[in-house]
Amino acid sequence: MPKSMGGLAIRAIKTDYPIPVPKRYAALTRRTVFYLDALLENSMTDIEYNGFYHDEPGQQSIDEERRNTLRNMGYAVITVNRHSFFKQSAFRRVMEAIRIREKIWPGRLPDNFAILQETLRQFVLRRYFEYGRRVLETLKEEEAAKREIASQYPQADDPSINDVPEPDDMQHVGTLAEEINGPWECDMSAKIDENRTEDDTIIDLIENSLF
């Protein structure tokens, strides 16, 4: 992203980049290769986006192992999460950490860079939630379609399920009943919870699908 649009004009970036773990660091981690979310090649900096599952105790120990290994290999790790975008001050601190690592001096930035940076943050958030609302709407439509199908066929606890179906339906009622009464899985691994806000649901859907 150019500086005139609130970015830092960093060009040497590689995403989802594999970094093999040298044998001399094998005792530090169970991994043989790390995939970096965004590698800034010039400064050997790994920018990692941590979704909500990184809050789990088991995942935290894995993340710490990863950071310790990468640091010993000479890489700096800058962690970003959803709160880094939701709050202006947090976003500025993350961008400042990146700026320092890349040795981009403040004098090289536009005079109104703070304003441009805030405009960029708001743009990212708008796109974030626009995408999330589309995903949520699709999920709601799929759930409604499943309920409609389920209402047309007998459930496992319905005594009429033992009734002999019409000949035309004989070949597929059993299979369809299993699909209807079995657990439904959403590709996004998230469920709609009426007790949560739409924004909370959107955040979980995006992090499940992307991170």
Side-chain angles (χ1 to χ4, degrees):
M1 182 71 68
K3 298 174 184 177
S4 60
M5 298 179 68
L8 294 172
I10 301 172
R11 297 183 180 277
I13 300 178
K14 291 185 176 179
T15 58
D16 198 26
Y17 190 72
I19 298 291
V21 177
K23 291 184 178 180
R24 62 181 178 276
Y25 298 117
L28 299 178
T29 178
R30 70 201 78 179
R31 310 292 183 187
T32 58
V33 61
F34 291 124
Y35 288 87
L36 310 188
D37 286 350
L39 171 63
L40 309 183
E41 292 184 284
N42 292 339
S43 61
M44 293 184 65
T45 301
D46 171 31
I47 301 177
E48 289 291 317
Y49 183 91
N50 283 358
F52 70 90
Y53 70 91
H54 287 270
D55 296 335
E56 297 294 330
Q59 185 61 42
Q60 288 179 2
S61 63
I62 293 174
D63 291 344
E64 191 61 32
E65 174 187 297
R66 173 192 176 93
R67 285 191 292 268
N68 288 339
T69 306
L70 285 172
R71 286 165 181 161
N72 276 281
M73 291 170 58
Y75 293 91
V77 180
I78 296 177
T79 302
V80 182
N81 58 37
R82 57 187 179 277
H83 301 293
S84 303
F85 294 93
F86 292 163
K87 294 184 178 180
Q88 180 180 8
S89 58
F91 184 72
R92 285 187 178 182
R93 284 192 290 270
V94 168
M95 294 295 285
E96 182 68 2
I98 296 172
R99 182 192 67 75
I100 292 173
R101 283 293 305 175
E102 286 290 291
K103 297 182 179 179
I104 301 172
W105 307 116
R108 299 177 183 174
L109 300 175
D111 293 337
N112 62 338
F113 186 71
I115 297 174
L116 296 172
Q117 197 173 70
E118 174 59 11
T119 301
L120 173 62
R121 184 186 73 88
Q122 293 182 13
F123 170 78
V124 171
L125 279 179
R126 283 197 302 271
R127 295 299 296 270
Y128 182 93
F129 280 100
E130 286 171 3
Y131 169 78
R133 289 190 178 93
R134 289 197 299 270
V135 173
L136 182 59
E137 196 59 36
T138 299
L139 181 59
K140 287 180 178 179
E141 291 174 358
E142 291 175 354
E143 291 291 331
K146 289 175 182 178
R147 288 194 296 270
E148 177 64 22
I149 294 173
S151 68
Q152 299 175 17
Y153 291 89
Q155 302 297 300
D157 57 354
D158 184 350
S160 67
I161 196 170
N162 295 318
D163 295 345
V164 178
E166 295 296 327
D168 290 346
D169 294 332
M170 182 74 77
Q171 59 184 344
H172 65 269
V173 164
T175 302
L176 187 55
E178 290 180 5
E179 294 178 359
I180 292 171
N181 296 314
W184 292 341
E185 295 182 359
C186 173
D187 291 339
M188 300 302 176
S189 303
K191 297 180 179 179
I192 299 174
D193 186 341
E194 295 180 354
N195 296 322
R196 307 182 71 227
T197 67
E198 182 181 86
D199 285 354
D200 287 337
T201 304
I202 288 172
I203 292 167
D204 286 352
L205 285 171
I206 295 174
E207 293 196 345
N208 273 321
S209 61
L210 299 182
F211 309 105

